[in-house]
Amino acid sequence: MTGNSIREQILLAVLAAVRPVAEQLGATVHRSPTVAIGRELCPTLVVFPEGEAITERNNDRVARELTVRIVALARAIPPVAPETEADRLLTAAHAALMANANLGGLALGIREQECEWEVEDADAVAAALPARYAISYRTLARDLTQPG
């Protein structure tokens, strides 16, 4: 039986890095939910792997770049605006992620890419702040579970 890919290990490390700060702020953490996050679970951080690109091949080594989107989601709880709450949560998650930019030796580095602001007025005002990160790492060409 083979172990998890370096990609999966990185995703687990990202979740482990942001979970403590989210919990300190009273937020939940979810990975790639397939249904909408309910009001009772907000504020929350949601982690989505978005894609992966091969950036270089050298002999039996493959350099890869994994794009991960972290979304801070908050709903309006007066007097605090949902954007303020989401920003506080995303700021804490960013600091936690960048504090260990090689994710315990799994990654070569993490680069912040972009951040967006989304505000929706459905049954209650909600703010979502998605931020994208590019995580560089290497594997062996023949084995995705082995670092290169």
Side-chain angles (χ1 to χ4, degrees), residues 2 20 26 31 39 47 61 66 71 86 93 130 133 137 140-142:
T2 62
R31 177 179 173 180
R39 176 180 300 174
V47 177
R61 307 285 193 260
L66 174 65
V71 180
Y133 295 88
Y137 71 102
L140 296 179
R142 70 181 184 288

Side-chain angles (χ1 to χ4, degrees), residues 2-77:
T2 62
N4 287 334
S5 68
I6 300 297
R7 174 188 320 113
E8 179 65 14
Q9 293 175 54
I10 286 171
L11 290 169
L12 293 173
V14 167
L15 289 163
V18 301
R19 182 169 278 113
V21 296
E23 290 173 352
Q24 286 175 356
L25 295 173
T28 58
V29 178
H30 304 274
R31 177 179 173 180
S32 305
T34 57
V35 296
I37 300 290
R39 176 180 300 174
E40 68 281 359
L41 296 176
C42 288
T44 190
L45 279 178
V46 187
V47 177
F48 296 95
E50 285 196 333
E52 183 178 81
I54 294 174
T55 58
E56 191 177 343
R57 290 178 198 263
N58 287 319
N59 300 323
D60 66 340
R61 307 285 193 260
V62 179
R64 302 171 185 276
E65 190 169 272
L66 174 65
T67 302
V68 174
R69 179 170 41 116
I70 299 176
V71 180
L73 179 61
R75 296 194 185 273
I77 302 172

